[in-house]
Amino acid sequence: MDAAEVMTRPVVTVEPSTTIRAANALLIDHGFSALPVVEHGGRLVGIVSGIDLLVQSIGQGAGATTVGQVMNKVVISAPLTATPTELASAMLGHRLRCLPVVDARGCVVGVVSRSDLLRVLTPDDDVMTARVDRLLRAYSRTRRWTVEVVGGRVAVSGPFEDQAERQVVAALVRTVPGVVGVVLGGVPVDATT
């Protein structure tokens, strides 16, 4: 696996001539922590973070100030061939929330965020466990059940009030994408139960 399989694309970028106001709007609209700054053709020339924009907006106002005036010109980036471990090392070592990915010409082709890396480094069963657990806690408003997932097969253990509740729990669990089977209290539940 390499950066090309981890990164988010298409990339939202700005140019040095983009106003602070427009860059702020992009960050807010997309929920990003930073934006790569590219010149015409897509070559990476800087990065502007939410902090850079916030400081500028509070200090002197967004007015006619451009991204080129506040961007960081020293940018840490990664090649398309970087492994998830290399990406994580770069992000942790430089305390980055996002990392631009560039091709051989230095053009931005993607961005890797912390959540992109977590998604790759977290096993699917763990993600499914968290989803089922959250769903069951929302249903019962307590932590009555223990959830374990192996190979997409969800096992829920703990007390059930009655058969109707067992059916509700089984139906809820089946709403989670990727579930291939449900076991309640050690008993497999078929689709008709």
Side-chain angles (χ1 to χ4, degrees), residues 77-134:
S77 63
L80 279 164
T81 56
T83 66
T85 302
E86 292 167 336
L87 295 167
S89 293
M91 291 179 78
L92 292 171
H94 297 284
R95 301 177 61 96
L96 303 173
R97 295 180 71 187
C98 69
L99 182 64
V101 178
V102 296
D103 63 15
R105 300 171 298 138
C107 294
V108 178
V109 293
V111 173
V112 174
S113 68
R114 291 175 182 174
S115 59
D116 292 330
L117 281 175
L118 286 173
R119 192 172 20 262
V120 170
L121 299 173
T122 305
D124 290 342
D125 285 348
D126 291 352
V127 173
M128 192 179 299
T129 298
R131 287 179 179 161
V132 170
D133 187 58
R134 183 177 66 241

Side-chain angles (χ1 to χ4, degrees), residues 18-37:
T18 304
T19 65
I20 297 298
R21 179 170 276 145
N24 282 338
L26 284 171
L27 279 180
I28 291 166
D29 188 39
H30 294 284
F32 297 147
S33 59
L35 294 167
V37 182

Side-chain angles (χ1 to χ4, degrees), residues 29-100:
D29 188 39
H30 294 284
F32 297 147
S33 59
L35 294 167
V37 182
V38 298
E39 59 186 15
H40 189 69
R43 194 174 71 76
L44 183 65
V45 295
I47 194 156
V48 64
S49 71
I51 295 295
D52 299 329
L53 297 173
L54 182 61
V55 167
Q56 184 62 38
S57 295
I58 290 173
Q60 300 172 2
T65 306
T66 65
V67 167
Q69 294 170 287
V70 299
M71 71 181 186
N72 293 305
K73 293 178 182 172
V74 177
V75 184
I76 307 296
S77 63
L80 279 164
T81 56
T83 66
T85 302
E86 292 167 336
L87 295 167
S89 293
M91 291 179 78
L92 292 171
H94 297 284
R95 301 177 61 96
L96 303 173
R97 295 180 71 187
C98 69
L99 182 64

